[in-house]
Amino acid sequence: MKFETKAIRIQTARTAEREHSTPLFPTSSFVFDDAEQMRSLFAGEAEGNIYSRFTNPNCRELEEKIAALEGVDRAVATASGMSAVFASMMTFLKAGDHGLASRAVFGSTYSIFSKYLPEWGIEVSWLPPRAPERWAAALRPNSKLLFVETPSNPGLDIVDLERAGQFCREHGLLYCVDNCFATPYLQRPARFGADLIIHSATKFIDGQGRVMGGLIAGDAERMEKVHGFCRSTGPALSPFNAWLLSKSLETLAVRLDRHCDNALALAQRLAEHPEVVAVHYPFLDSHPGAAIARRQMLKGGGLLTFEVRGGLEQGRKLLDALEWLSLSANLGDTRTIVTHPASTTHAKLPVEERAAVGITPGLLRVSVGLEHLEDIAAELEQALERSV
Ligand SMILES: *Cc1c(COP(=O)(O)O)cnc(C)c1O
């Protein structure tokens, strides 16, 4: 079956009510017929539900769907994207290990790697995302894992997934990819040998700004370890969130097509504007990663960034000149969202650190929504005019 069909037709077995759409299972535990059934489930000899921290039918449907869409054996759902990142690292790294990570990663991922893991004796070295020829210099005898995010948030850096896969095979590293911006519809890291694929389901997978969620996907053996860690430590996804997220996946392909078409057209239009000095979008020829992005992604994604001529002040003025586009921390929503990283999410970073991940003072990030392109473009253009 093709992607769209799997996203719709992978479904929990119907109950005796013969419902068409999967029902919600808001239950913390499950009952057993007798002592023997209970024993065999706890012993792991039989498969089935015990307690919703371990498994729940709504979570399992979402997990089976994501595993099929990513082209891997199994997935584990978690309460947020960050719990997915954290559980992945804690499952496979221990004190004395060393990890390698692209410098262009999500802010909280950066905090896990730079603040928390070192407190437990795990060192992480930062790699330049666009210069894989320099990665080998950071290897140590105890290097265990490579973590990359592509396209990155918010700099839209593109990491060459094939090259990263070769690097991991040559050096025996566990290959982890944060696939949040692309989703499995646009990019399937398993094709390039990724061992663990991590998602914030809060973004395009929900796609409607309603719930938090995370996913980790990979082969059966590794996912057994991840599931064991999550089962004991408890970053479980709520059945309600899983139910919504699984429903959302049914429309992922059609939503992403429109997000991407709107984003590309908006990027081209903003590039013509006299107040805009640069537009960054993975499928624009001017993007340094465009050739790689076209090789590994179906379309360019729903995010773009642009830089206004007047730097920090104009960036702030532009936010205030917006009449109806949202100022919000989320992305991947039906609603177009604009953020100004230099004065908000990345304000605490020293200027050089910000520059290293492509955040200039006048950079604005747009999560291009599903409103009509003409309305989105007109709203940004009027704000640009008033921001001068
Ligand atoms: C949002 C985001 C995360 C974290 O996900 P949450 O669901 O907010 O915990 C991780 N990686 C990327 C690329 C993100 O955009």
Side-chain angles (χ1 to χ4, degrees), residues 270 273-276 306 308-325 327 364 377-388:
L270 286 171
H273 199 284
E275 285 305 311
V276 174
F306 66 96
V308 287
R309 185 178 304 287
L312 195 81
E313 258 327 291
Q314 192 177 6
R316 284 169 49 86
K317 274 195 197 151
L318 186 134
L319 290 189
D320 285 337
L322 291 170
E323 284 172 0
W324 56 269
L325 288 186
L327 312 186
L364 291 138
E379 160 77 330
L380 275 171
E381 281 161 1
Q382 71 77 23
L384 275 165
E385 254 97 80
R386 286 173 41 202
S387 68
V388 183

Side-chain angles (χ1 to χ4, degrees), residues 14-322:
R14 297 211 167 99
T15 71
E17 301 293 345
R18 287 176 282 105
E19 71 282 350
H20 194 191
S21 175
T22 303
L24 179 57
F25 293 92
T27 179
S28 39
S29 68
F30 301 83
V31 286
F32 310 103
D33 292 336
D34 50 37
E36 175 49 27
Q37 188 191 36
M38 195 168 180
R39 185 206 62 78
S40 65
L41 278 164
F42 270 93
E45 292 166 13
E47 282 213 7
N49 298 310
I50 298 176
Y51 188 60
S52 281
R53 170 154 48 81
F54 310 172
T55 57
N56 173 283
N58 294 121
C59 294
R60 202 167 48 241
E61 180 181 289
L62 172 67
E63 291 165 351
E64 281 172 10
K65 221 181 251 190
I66 274 292
L69 299 181
E70 287 287 5
V72 296
D73 300 335
R74 185 174 173 191
V76 169
T78 62
S80 66
M82 287 327 300
S83 55
V85 173
F86 184 64
S88 303
M89 296 305 109
M90 294 317 281
T91 304
F92 294 103
L93 293 175
K94 58 181 192 317
D97 284 346
H98 173 246
L100 301 164
S102 160
R103 178 60 191 85
V105 290
F106 184 64
S108 297
T109 306
Y110 181 79
S111 300
I112 290 181
F113 289 165
S114 59
K115 179 163 190 274
Y116 296 105
L117 294 186
E119 286 177 3
W120 292 312
I122 300 161
E123 297 289 329
V124 175
S125 299
W126 298 107
L127 306 179
R130 289 189 228 153
E133 67 283 357
R134 283 165 44 204
W135 294 358
L139 283 163
R140 296 184 194 168
N142 55 344
S143 299
K144 290 284 153 59
L145 160 162
L146 171 74
F147 187 102
V148 300
E149 179 183 307
T150 182
S152 69
N153 183 2
L156 299 176
D157 265 308
I158 300 294
V159 174
D160 185 334
L161 288 175
E162 188 173 7
R163 186 89 190 252
Q166 283 162 1
F167 180 79
C168 288
R169 275 192 302 281
E170 272 166 35
H171 302 289
L173 304 174
L174 185 80
Y175 182 14
C176 307
V177 179
D178 182 333
N179 201 26
C180 170
F181 268 32
T183 82
Y185 179 61
L186 301 179
Q187 170 174 285
R188 289 197 270 290
R191 281 174 50 209
F192 307 103
D195 298 308
L196 288 185
I197 300 137
I198 298 166
H199 284 284
S200 165
T202 316
K203 313 293 171 56
F204 289 100
I205 292 179
D206 173 48
Q208 289 145 90
R210 300 166 300 185
V211 295
M212 311 287 302
L215 288 152
I216 310 163
D219 71 24
E221 199 180 318
R222 290 196 182 92
M223 292 313 299
E224 183 61 30
K225 291 188 183 146
V226 171
H227 184 251
F229 179 83
C230 291
R231 177 179 155 138
S232 296
T233 59
L237 182 65
S238 101
F240 177 69
N241 290 9
W243 178 78
L244 276 181
L245 293 168
S246 183
K247 279 260 141 233
S248 295
L249 281 175
E250 296 184 21
T251 56
L252 182 72
V254 287
R255 286 188 284 108
L256 255 293
D257 277 338
R258 182 63 67 85
H259 278 295
C260 295
D261 295 349
N262 275 357
L264 177 61
L266 185 65
Q268 286 163 339
R269 199 149 149 178
L270 286 171
E272 305 283 298
H273 199 284
E275 285 305 311
V276 174
V277 289
V279 178
H280 310 280
Y281 183 69
F283 270 37
L284 278 190
D285 291 334
S286 56
H287 192 288
I292 298 164
R294 288 206 182 94
R295 277 205 302 275
Q296 65 195 27
M297 295 172 75
L298 183 66
K299 295 188 176 192
L303 274 295
L304 66 84
T305 61
F306 66 96
E307 287 169 49
V308 287
R309 185 178 304 287
L312 195 81
E313 258 327 291
Q314 192 177 6
R316 284 169 49 86
K317 274 195 197 151
L318 186 134
L319 290 189
D320 285 337
L322 291 170

